Amino acid sequence: MRPTVLCFSGLDPSGGAGLQADIEAIGQSGAHAAIACTALTIQNSQQVFGFEATSKDLLLAQANALVQDLPIKAVKSGMLGTTDNIAALAEFLREHPDYLYVLDPVLVANSGGSLGNQETLVKAFVELIPLATVLTPNTVELRALTGEQDLDKATAKLFEMGAKAILVKGGHEDTPDYIRNALYVNGEMISETKCPRLDGEYHGSGCSLASFIAGRLALGDALNVAVNYAETWLFGVLKNAETPVVGGQKIPKRF
Ligand code: PLP
């Protein structure tokens, strides 16, 4: 069986982000996706209307039922929703130190809607940061996690907080023509990529990128190889994204 990535992620019923993005991206990476569902959200491509989080016990029961069943090589987390769920994931990861772990520190939806209480989530993420093989924050999340506005200082602070590797995604920076991402390992930048900025807003781009990276890591790629591969794949997927009927955020076409 294909190496499996176990995703801790929420349902976005629009199919743009969340667990559907994870399943599609990981399938495209060549690995198999399994899901421990953290929350059911109510949203469309324009707005998040609310969510109900899974209980900690239900979340762990979903994950534990898969441990002996599937060849799990990596874990990926997206929306976790509550501090209880963050604590549950930390407990699960400590029981499985051999799993690679991609931490996408989701705090808010790209549409701006709440996916949890940002202040308490930021505090709880501190427990997960040292457990991650790589973190994939955008610059808004990086600043929120560290309390530092300057990006170099924020990156350094995240390493002080125990990060091993960080992919800093520049999509929210004021660079009208391009997006710059930079990969840091043990405090040093090891690669940077610039791709042309595409028009419009995309729903689930962060989920897709982090999941594709997790899929490639599960298949044995080195981190820099997995990241470069995922960035190239994501650019094509966003270029082909489809615009919803009323013109909300575009839905990436991952097939
Ligand atoms: N997870 C869920 C369930 C979501 O609904 C969202 C955004 O709406 C995200 C994650 C984050 O999405 P993005 O990849 O756009 O940052």
Side-chain angles (χ1 to χ4, degrees):
M1 171 162 193
R2 285 169 296 161
T4 296
V5 180
L6 174 55
C7 302
F8 286 68
S9 36
L11 173 73
D12 163 15
S14 78
L19 62 83
Q20 185 169 333
D22 297 345
I23 292 167
E24 293 180 1
I26 291 165
Q28 289 294 300
S29 79
H32 173 70
I35 305 288
C37 182
T38 57
L40 302 177
T41 74
I42 309 161
Q43 66 180 300
N44 54 29
S45 64
Q46 304 162 73
Q47 202 181 335
V48 180
F49 300 98
F51 71 89
E52 194 165 313
T54 308
S55 72
K56 176 178 178 172
D57 288 348
L58 179 54
L59 184 63
L60 281 178
Q62 291 177 76
N64 286 329
L66 300 173
V67 166
Q68 302 299 331
D69 198 47
L70 296 173
I72 298 171
K73 293 281 179 278
V75 167
K76 181 257 168 181
S77 66
M79 174 190 182
L80 289 162
T82 62
T83 54
D84 267 5
N85 281 349
I86 292 180
L89 174 56
E91 187 181 317
F92 181 79
L93 288 165
R94 279 195 288 265
E95 280 166 18
H96 302 285
D98 50 323
Y99 293 168
L100 301 163
Y101 170 40
V102 179
L103 167 51
D104 188 23
V106 173
L107 293 170
V108 288
N110 268 336
S111 59
S114 168
L115 297 172
N117 179 318
Q118 176 155 337
E119 207 175 310
T120 56
L121 291 180
V122 162
K123 285 190 190 137
F125 269 130
V126 167
E127 199 182 352
L128 285 178
I129 290 166
L131 301 172
T133 308
V134 61
L135 283 101
T136 61
N138 60 40
T139 52
V140 176
E141 292 159 346
L142 179 62
R143 289 182 174 113
L145 286 173
T146 59
E148 293 283 357
Q149 290 311 302
D150 176 81
L151 289 179
D152 288 337
K153 283 188 187 157
T155 307
K157 176 91 180 279
L158 203 50
F159 279 110
E160 279 166 29
M161 292 163 78
K164 298 183 194 88
I166 310 168
L167 175 66
V168 180
K169 301 177 298 187
H172 290 78
E173 293 304 289
D174 186 19
T175 52
D177 301 329
Y178 65 88
I179 290 177
R180 174 184 176 271
N181 291 348
L183 177 64
Y184 296 81
V185 176
N186 297 327
E188 301 291 328
M189 190 176 80
I190 63 157
S191 68
E192 92 183 297
T193 53
K194 275 187 187 173
C195 71
R197 186 181 286 276
L198 296 166
D199 284 342
E201 298 276 322
Y202 298 85
H203 199 48
S205 51
C207 305
S208 304
L209 185 71
S211 282
F212 197 98
I213 292 169
R216 292 309 311 177
L217 290 177
L219 287 158
D221 281 0
L223 179 60
N224 60 332
V225 175
V227 166
N228 277 323
Y229 192 173
E231 287 172 336
T232 306
W233 171 79
L234 184 72
F235 188 71
V237 155
L238 297 184
K239 232 161 104 179
N240 290 325
E242 296 171 300
T243 306
V245 179
V246 288
Q249 291 190 319
K250 292 182 196 176
I251 308 274
K253 196 169 173 191
R254 286 171 287 252
F255 290 104

